[in-house]
Amino acid sequence: LMWKGLAPDAVDPELWRGLTAIAGSWIGGAANQADMKEVFEIEPNVFGMMVAIDVLFAYIWMAVLLWMAAKHERLDRGLNADTTAIAALSEKMERLRLENERIPELPDLMIMLGLAFGATGLSHALATPLAAAFAGMEWAERLSLASEFFWIVVLPTTFGLLLSFTRARKLEGAGASRVGSAFLYVLIATVGMQMNIGAVFTNPALFGIGFTWMAFHAVVMLVVARLIRAPTFFLAVASQANMGGAASAPVVAAAFHPSLAPVGVLLAVLGYALGTYGGWLSGQLMRLVSLDAGS
């Protein structure tokens, strides 16, 4: 609505592409942000500004969530929250950890890498014919279906979700999340190298967009938590799983109780799975708003 209210010449018609990077990041994480950069062909300078906005607001909000963790008992009373589920969850997570955790052996690591690179290779093999099948169709090109990278992103996400319903999920006990996190940190460093803080100050309106977006998220989370009497733990960890991903959600979870850190990882992984689809859908909606604002 704010965007539509601006004069057509006040809106960069390509700004929506950059905002898809924030949408991907704040639904899932850095991996989804990088996906949106390629799917929507974001210019490097614009992408650098969006990374700066993402980092600035996401980690200010993380500081707020850590403060909430320190004051969670008082906040739970204010929200009239039912905290019995937290005690049960803490006990269950500790029991699951003790039952499934094991020292990873070479076969475990080879299976993890085989599944990861196998799914990626299969996605690359299928991406070309799938993109070619939609080439030349105007509606499909608008939805990125004719883009090879779109399929390279969507197919591994889908394969990962399908594998979670098989015995492959038992690899978590051997540290599958930690192996994935190692690759994730490489990706985060790669994305961070493209951050352009200086360019943000030439576009101060982007601070308003970031603030509005984050404020809306915070208000919705607090209102819903109050309505369903959710403990502060669920509010904070779910929020950080979206805004920060697997790198920071376990930190917020552990601030409540060390045994709850895996919950942060699980929610962040869910965010990564949804971020690909949600970021793409958000991009399509913003594309429509951009076209309407410029018409």
Side-chain angles (χ1 to χ4, degrees), residues 3-243:
W3 197 337
K4 289 178 67 176
L6 296 173
D9 59 353
V11 180
D12 181 351
E14 296 299 305
L15 180 62
W16 68 272
R17 295 182 187 274
L19 293 175
T20 62
I22 296 181
S25 180
W26 288 359
I27 296 173
N32 307 108
Q33 183 182 66
D35 293 343
M36 295 305 105
K37 177 183 184 296
E38 299 298 332
V39 170
F40 290 101
E41 300 177 346
I42 305 172
E43 292 292 329
N45 187 54
V46 175
F47 183 69
M49 290 189 290
M50 297 305 167
V51 172
I53 293 294
D54 169 30
V55 171
L56 175 66
F57 285 99
Y59 285 96
I60 288 176
W61 180 240
M62 181 180 176
V64 173
L65 295 179
L66 290 173
W67 174 84
M68 292 172 68
K71 306 290 184 181
H72 71 274
E73 293 181 356
R74 187 170 67 184
L75 292 172
D76 284 337
R77 288 194 296 270
L79 292 170
N80 193 28
D82 180 3
T83 59
T84 55
I86 297 297
L89 180 61
S90 299
E91 181 180 346
K92 182 178 181 179
M93 292 305 300
E94 184 65 19
R95 185 172 63 253
L96 286 173
R97 185 186 68 81
L98 294 174
E99 290 176 354
N100 297 303
E101 192 173 49
R102 66 182 190 274
I103 298 174
E105 298 180 353
L106 180 60
D108 294 320
L109 295 174
M110 295 306 294
I111 292 172
M112 291 178 201
L113 295 175
L115 289 173
F117 287 112
T120 303
L122 180 60
S123 301
H124 277 267
L126 295 175
T128 299
L130 285 171
F134 289 101
M137 302 179 187
E138 185 179 351
W139 66 271
E141 291 178 353
R142 285 200 304 268
L143 298 177
S144 305
L145 298 179
S147 166
E148 287 189 25
F149 195 85
F150 171 81
W151 294 107
I152 291 172
V153 168
V154 170
L155 289 175
T157 303
T158 305
F159 292 152
L161 289 172
L162 293 175
L163 285 170
S164 70
F165 294 99
T166 70
R167 293 181 61 187
R169 67 176 180 269
K170 294 185 178 297
L171 291 169
E172 174 60 26
S177 292
R178 289 190 287 273
V179 174
S181 295
F183 286 101
L184 177 63
Y185 284 123
V186 174
L187 175 64
I188 291 172
T190 303
V191 171
M193 290 171 65
Q194 301 179 59
M195 184 169 62
N196 187 354
I197 297 178
V200 175
F201 295 101
T202 64
N203 296 272
L206 290 175
F207 285 103
I209 293 175
F211 176 79
T212 302
W213 205 327
M214 183 63 72
F216 186 82
H217 169 82
V219 169
V220 169
M221 293 293 289
L222 289 168
V223 169
V224 171
R226 181 68 176 83
L227 290 175
I228 66 174
R229 299 178 60 200
T232 307
F233 169 79
F234 290 126
L235 183 160
V237 178
S239 177
Q240 189 60 30
N242 283 140
M243 295 297 174

